[in-house]
Amino acid sequence: MKALVYEGVETLGVRDVPMPELRDGQSLVRITASGICGSDMHAYLGHDARRPAPLILGHEAAGVIEGGPRDGVRVTINPLVNCGVCTACRAGRENLCPERLIISMPPREGAFAQYVAMRDENLIVVPEHVPLEKAALAEPLAVSWHSVRLGLEAMDHGLGQSALVIGGGAIGLAAALALKAQGIEDVTIAEPNDARRAYLIERCGQHAVASGTGSHAIVIDAVGYAATRAIASERCCPGGVIVHIGLGEDLGGLDVRRMTLQEITFIGTYTYTSQDFRDTCAAIFDGSLGPLDWTEQRSLTDGPQAFAALRAGAVAAPKIILDPWA
């Protein structure tokens, strides 16, 4: 089969690789759409020791089961595999499982390929009326859905109902959509890139600005750099909540003194629970998250150029979807 293989820092190649081997309880999925994630970019830039070359990246995918009793069933993939028996799993917080694995991280190859083997409980059936290109957005949308749920659970709604999302990429836009779907209407996205900000306004119908202003009850940092954490610290209102999704860099930025004196809650969040993933899929399927028409489609063979364009900041669309068969 064909696959886009990460071969070294800023080096990708389309290669012929062996078909995945099926284990008990798994299905073979013929991938039709696979999104490029920020974590894929981190690996591409050599910033993720957990993803050493050579490796097939990609974990935001949808396709069709090929073979077996469910042959022909359209599915989207929850790429997180957990143990199912630890304290976190039994508590329904599978994203905190110490044994969790995700495709695109050794020993599991990723979904920038024509086929992926995935255990059946990680496959969500996609209704016929939903294009698989939209179903492939379930993973990044679930990251933001989970983050928003945690933030709203911790938020004192009596202190305000406004939200600031820092970063207008796929996770930031998804957070804005999830906030609105979960009841917060006053949402602003801070996005400094002129082309992306214009896209958010004109194509996605979002209230997007170059930099955040004012005070907000909930601030979601979908970037995760020291500079964006500093903005979050400044723009969160007293008693408010900062939800930190981004993994841009490890240290710096938080005004811990202000957060302490003003009783600002900080929540770090990673991925999603199985229930959050299912809830996100339901919101995609019933249209609660909008038309989801803000992706750019490219062929898998154009993958190296797509990564280079993202690296150069030359892509306005929040998400590029690769087609392994185009």
Side-chain angles (χ1 to χ4, degrees), residues 199-225:
Y199 190 100
L200 290 168
I201 296 169
E202 297 165 10
R203 180 67 177 269
C204 305
Q206 299 297 310
H207 177 223
V209 298
S211 59
T213 59
S215 183
H216 303 271
I218 182 168
V219 179
I220 296 182
D221 183 351
V223 182
Y225 281 91

Side-chain angles (χ1 to χ4, degrees), residues 27-28 63 84 91 106 133-134 146 181 206 209-210 216 223-224 251 254 271:
S27 292
L28 185 68
E133 292 76 15
K134 293 184 181 181
H146 172 75
Q206 299 297 310
V209 298
H216 303 271
V223 182
L251 301 174
L254 286 178
T271 65

Side-chain angles (χ1 to χ4, degrees), residues 2-322:
K2 298 290 185 184
L4 182 66
V5 181
Y6 166 60
E7 299 176 329
V9 177
E10 298 192 40
T11 304
L12 295 163
V14 178
R15 303 285 181 256
D16 287 310
V17 300
M19 289 284 288
E21 295 183 6
L22 283 180
R23 299 180 180 178
D24 289 342
Q26 291 185 334
S27 292
L28 185 68
V29 181
R30 185 183 191 271
I31 300 298
T32 60
S34 188
I36 299 177
C37 176
S39 62
D40 297 318
M41 283 300 300
H42 290 158
Y44 170 73
L45 296 173
H47 296 166
D48 190 347
R50 302 171 302 170
R51 290 179 166 92
L55 183 67
I56 302 172
L57 300 173
H59 58 269
E60 304 175 356
V64 180
I65 294 176
E66 190 166 294
R70 303 175 74 196
D71 181 63
V73 174
R74 305 165 78 246
V75 293
T76 189
I77 296 173
N78 177 348
L80 277 183
V81 179
N82 54 74
C83 75
V85 297
C86 70
T87 300
C89 287
R90 293 199 308 271
R93 302 190 70 181
E94 301 91 346
N95 60 317
L96 303 181
C97 173
E99 303 299 324
R100 70 173 183 247
L101 294 171
I102 190 169
I103 61 174
S104 79
M105 194 176 291
R108 302 183 67 89
E109 298 283 5
F112 291 149
Q114 292 177 319
Y115 291 94
V116 159
M118 199 69 205
R119 68 181 191 178
D120 293 327
E121 58 261 45
N122 285 65
L123 302 177
I124 306 295
V125 177
V126 178
E128 289 295 332
H129 74 275
V130 178
L132 288 174
E133 292 76 15
K134 293 184 181 181
L137 294 172
E139 200 279 341
L141 288 168
V143 169
S144 294
W145 184 276
H146 172 75
S147 302
V148 167
R149 178 178 66 79
L150 293 180
L152 295 184
E153 288 174 356
M155 187 174 118
D156 184 340
H157 291 257
L159 294 175
Q161 293 285 304
S162 71
L164 174 67
V165 178
I166 302 171
I171 296 298
L173 174 56
L177 297 174
L179 282 161
K180 293 177 181 178
Q182 296 184 47
I184 302 297
E185 293 296 331
D186 183 3
V187 180
T188 299
I189 301 176
E191 172 52 61
N193 182 288
D194 292 340
R196 176 160 288 176
R197 186 170 67 256
Y199 190 100
L200 290 168
I201 296 169
E202 297 165 10
R203 180 67 177 269
C204 305
Q206 299 297 310
H207 177 223
V209 298
S211 59
T213 59
S215 183
H216 303 271
I218 182 168
V219 179
I220 296 182
D221 183 351
V223 182
Y225 281 91
T228 57
R229 286 190 287 270
I231 295 169
S233 297
E234 180 183 359
R235 294 302 170 194
C236 191
C237 75
V241 179
I242 296 171
V243 183
H244 191 270
I245 314 174
L247 290 171
E249 61 185 0
D250 296 343
L251 301 174
L254 286 178
D255 185 343
V256 176
R257 179 178 176 81
R258 179 173 188 269
M259 292 171 61
T260 301
L261 295 175
Q262 300 295 332
E263 295 189 355
I264 292 170
T265 299
F266 179 92
I267 300 174
T269 173
Y270 179 73
T271 65
Y272 37 79
T273 68
S274 296
Q275 186 60 54
D276 284 319
F277 195 90
R278 290 191 293 269
D279 290 344
T280 301
C281 288
I284 293 172
F285 302 159
D286 70 16
S288 297
L289 293 171
L292 303 178
D293 57 354
W294 34 264
T295 63
E296 179 180 318
Q297 316 294 318
R298 300 198 185 192
S299 69
L300 187 75
T301 55
D302 191 41
Q305 291 75 26
F307 271 81
L310 288 166
R311 172 76 170 91
V315 179
K319 178 66 62 177
I320 291 179
I321 300 286
L322 299 180

